[in-house]
Amino acid sequence: MRPKSPARVRKSKRRRRSGHHQHPELVGLALIFVGAFVAIPLWLEWESGVVGEKVVSGLDGLVGAGRLVVPLILLGLGGLMVARSSLVAVRPFRTGLVVMVLGLMLLLGKRDGGATGETLELLFGRLLGHTGTVVLGVFLLVAGGI
């Protein structure tokens, strides 16, 4: 039998093992770059090459008019990661962001929400009707923001 090691030794071994640093600041910089790259053709309507055109058309098909918010989300999340904010690691922040996006897609609906808005409106429109869908969309937008 081996003698038990002291608690201070076990703690330092545990700390060393879990030290997998994943460079969140590099991921944050990449998100900032992608957000800026997507913002140029969306907001400024400048030339962005074949990739920019594909990204804009893909976002238009996926989220419709909600595509204008995508660069803000990418820039904000990337900025938080670069600043090493503790908000990025907190699960409610990510959940709130998803709930806000779902609320926005519900409010935009099939007319301006792309495929995502159309799917959500098809599902909730039948269950709740138009008014119920709008109320749910506003609720999700506010709840996600809080």
Side-chain angles (χ1 to χ4, degrees), residues 92-93 95-101 103 137-146:
F93 177 76
T95 304
L97 185 63
V98 169
V99 169
M100 275 181 63
V101 168
V138 170
F139 168 75
L140 290 175
L141 202 58
V142 172
I146 291 174

Side-chain angles (χ1 to χ4, degrees), residues 45-69:
E45 298 179 0
W46 290 354
E47 166 68 36
S48 59
V50 176
V51 173
E53 290 175 13
K54 295 290 184 185
V55 168
V56 169
S57 65
L59 284 174
D60 188 37
L62 185 64
V63 293
R67 72 186 179 279
L68 297 173
V69 182

Side-chain angles (χ1 to χ4, degrees), residues 44-123:
L44 304 175
E45 298 179 0
W46 290 354
E47 166 68 36
S48 59
V50 176
V51 173
E53 290 175 13
K54 295 290 184 185
V55 168
V56 169
S57 65
L59 284 174
D60 188 37
L62 185 64
V63 293
R67 72 186 179 279
L68 297 173
V69 182
V70 170
L72 284 175
I73 293 170
L74 293 173
L75 289 168
L77 193 58
L80 287 172
M81 290 180 79
V82 168
R84 292 182 161 231
S85 173
S86 63
L87 288 176
V88 176
V90 178
R91 180 168 284 176
F93 177 76
R94 293 180 296 199
T95 304
L97 185 63
V98 169
V99 169
M100 275 181 63
V101 168
L102 284 174
L104 180 65
M105 291 296 101
L106 268 174
L107 288 174
L108 292 175
K110 65 182 172 188
R111 192 177 48 221
D112 296 323
T116 307
E118 186 175 348
T119 303
L120 289 172
E121 186 170 313
L122 179 68
L123 176 68

